[in-house]
Amino acid sequence: MKVLVTGGTGYIGSHTAVELLRAGYDVEVLDNLVNSKESTLDNIEKITHIKPKFYKVDLRNYDETLRVFAETNFDAVIHFAGLKAVGESVEKPLEYYENNIGGTINLLRVMDETRVGKLIFSSSATVYGDQGAKAYDEKMTTGVKITNPYGWTKAMIEQIIRDYAKANPEFSATILRYFNPIGADKSGLLGEDPNGIPNNLLPIITKVYRGELSELTIFGDDYPTDDGSCKRDFIHVTDLALGHLAALEKMHPGVRTYNLGSGVATSVFEVVKMFNEETGEELPIKIGKRRAGDLAEFYANPSLAEKELEWKTKLTVRDAIKDTLNYLKNLE
Ligand code: UD1
């Protein structure tokens, strides 16, 4: 089976490409390299002994995208390519809408033109917004109180996919809503290495650990949780990647949507504590104000994916921290 992975040199895309190759799929990668490096393909090769064919293409370029599909008859596309920095999306909304939505529309147009009928889309649990719940399931409404354009692009793309599928009964799609991906491939050769100042907890922790940032600010210790810090459903990126394989193997006509999360919430303080236990050092922290838009507790009800995809997480937050530290060793 020939699979095109858009955004395949990025964090989640590269881990998924590795798992697809390990499972024997024929993988090709498309990426515009705006937030990733071509050398990631060498690391994919080191792990799997296969170097996927690579296209440096921006999905907003219809003709170049069509050329990719003219070269190979893909059976399916896994679509990760997109901008993902929440804060930046607030400052540059048009860039986010143009990139994420424009790119996806072109991709669908090209898939339509070349009759490629299977799509897996990288969505986010952020589409649920704030509904005053703790555990979120797929039946809940989306597009409620989303606080940033990045989140809106995910909710809007989901709708575009559903509408396109309605008009094209031979097309099928699986939408995967990720909770908080962390960690790195066991090999230490792939991981999360964002340009500039990162937005998410684990990449910030690793920058502090390496001395690139002076301290971690905990955004609030007065939430109504056991220890006062926020709780999140952290999912190891390898488990997440395997969720895409399960989705690919179990595609059905029409559109299906699944949460990919562990169902377990871990607090920010707990993450820091585990990180310190693994490094044997004390991460410098300070308690700051609550961050706007943060929810006290947010985790997946992952039972639908477990039932229909026969997938569930196997790795823990501690595994993810260990694998992240192993990856950092290789960056030095
Ligand atoms: C964020 C995004 C979400 C995106 C997800 C990707 C928002 C509202 N949501 O989720 O759209 O899909 O990242 O993983 O931005 N924290 C600190 N100090 C820091 C950084 C984070 O205390 O310096 C805390 C936050 O308050 C939060 C937790 O760590 O409680 C996780 O934060 P983060 O990694 O940014 O993820 P989310 O906010 O859950």
Side-chain angles (χ1 to χ4, degrees):
M1 192 177 191
K2 289 189 169 64
V3 183
L4 178 69
V5 180
T6 80
T9 51
Y11 175 46
I12 303 170
S14 60
H15 286 82
T16 303
V18 162
E19 297 308 330
L20 288 166
L21 290 163
R22 279 178 175 151
Y25 286 92
D26 209 337
V27 176
E28 300 191 10
V29 166
L30 175 155
D31 206 298
N32 69 0
L33 300 177
V34 71
N35 191 29
S36 61
K37 298 187 190 87
E38 196 171 341
S39 58
T40 301
L41 297 162
D42 300 327
N43 290 336
I44 292 176
E45 186 181 12
K46 277 185 204 149
I47 298 168
T48 63
H49 307 292
I50 302 166
K51 189 164 182 176
K53 187 168 176 184
F54 176 63
Y55 307 91
K56 183 179 178 305
V57 166
D58 192 310
L59 288 175
R60 286 170 299 169
N61 187 323
Y62 179 84
D63 292 338
E64 281 188 20
T65 307
L66 185 60
R67 232 173 284 143
V68 173
F69 281 71
E71 272 189 43
T72 305
N73 275 326
F74 296 111
D75 299 292
V77 176
I78 307 186
H79 178 36
F80 295 98
L83 300 176
K84 61 170 189 179
V86 171
E88 185 186 58
S89 79
V90 176
E91 274 144 41
K92 301 175 181 168
L94 297 183
E95 238 177 77
Y96 272 67
Y97 287 116
E98 199 214 339
N99 252 283
N100 294 3
I101 295 178
T104 305
I105 290 176
N106 264 348
L107 175 66
L108 286 171
R109 284 173 63 212
V110 168
M111 288 176 72
D112 192 61
E113 177 79 27
T114 55
R115 310 316 301 157
V116 177
K118 287 190 176 128
L119 177 74
I120 292 179
F121 175 59
S122 160
S123 190
S124 166
T126 201
V127 299
Y128 292 119
D130 179 2
Q131 306 197 32
K134 289 179 180 175
Y136 284 71
D137 68 57
E138 296 85 349
K139 286 195 286 302
M140 292 168 93
T141 325
T142 56
V144 184
K145 289 199 211 159
I146 295 177
T147 52
N148 57 80
Y150 157 76
W152 277 114
T153 67
K154 294 292 181 189
M156 289 177 186
I157 292 168
E158 286 196 4
Q159 189 58 37
I160 291 167
I161 290 170
R162 287 189 287 265
D163 288 339
Y164 175 74
K166 214 178 279 171
N168 295 275
E170 71 289 357
F171 174 81
S172 45
T174 300
I175 292 168
L176 299 175
R177 295 181 180 149
Y178 316 151
F179 281 71
N180 291 61
I182 56 168
D185 186 72
K186 257 232 126 8
S187 63
L189 292 167
L190 294 178
E192 189 171 19
D193 186 20
N195 298 331
I197 296 183
N199 304 272
N200 298 116
L201 181 64
L202 244 293
I204 292 174
I205 288 180
T206 58
K207 293 253 176 197
V208 175
Y209 173 65
R210 297 166 80 201
E212 291 168 37
L213 293 172
S214 58
E215 62 194 356
L216 168 74
T217 303
I218 311 258
F219 296 142
D221 67 349
D222 56 353
Y223 282 96
T225 56
D226 346 331
D227 63 18
S229 66
C230 293
K231 296 179 88 170
R232 291 290 179 274
D233 186 340
F234 298 100
I235 166 170
H236 194 297
V237 65
T238 299
D239 276 334
L240 188 62
L242 290 170
H244 293 74
L245 264 72
L248 195 56
E249 279 155 17
K250 298 235 159 37
M251 283 202 81
H252 295 276
V255 181
R256 302 262 171 130
T257 304
Y258 301 100
N259 283 340
L260 294 186
S262 67
V264 176
T266 307
S267 80
V268 176
F269 280 130
E270 282 168 329
V271 171
V272 172
K273 183 167 171 275
M274 272 188 248
F275 195 87
N276 287 342
E277 283 162 3
E278 293 305 320
T279 59
E281 293 176 27
E282 193 75 16
L283 198 77
I285 61 164
K286 79 162 190 225
I287 309 299
K289 285 207 283 282
R290 290 183 178 193
R291 185 173 67 176
D294 267 347
L295 303 178
E297 197 163 349
F298 187 68
Y299 57 90
N301 174 343
S303 55
L304 191 66
E306 187 173 347
K307 186 167 152 236
E308 293 190 4
L309 300 180
E310 291 171 43
W311 168 92
K312 63 177 182 178
T313 59
K314 295 198 176 87
L315 300 165
T316 61
V317 174
R318 193 177 290 277
D319 293 328
I321 290 172
K322 282 186 185 161
D323 292 335
T324 300
L325 289 168
N326 184 37
Y327 170 66
L328 291 186
K329 260 189 252 148
N330 283 330
L331 284 185
E332 276 153 17

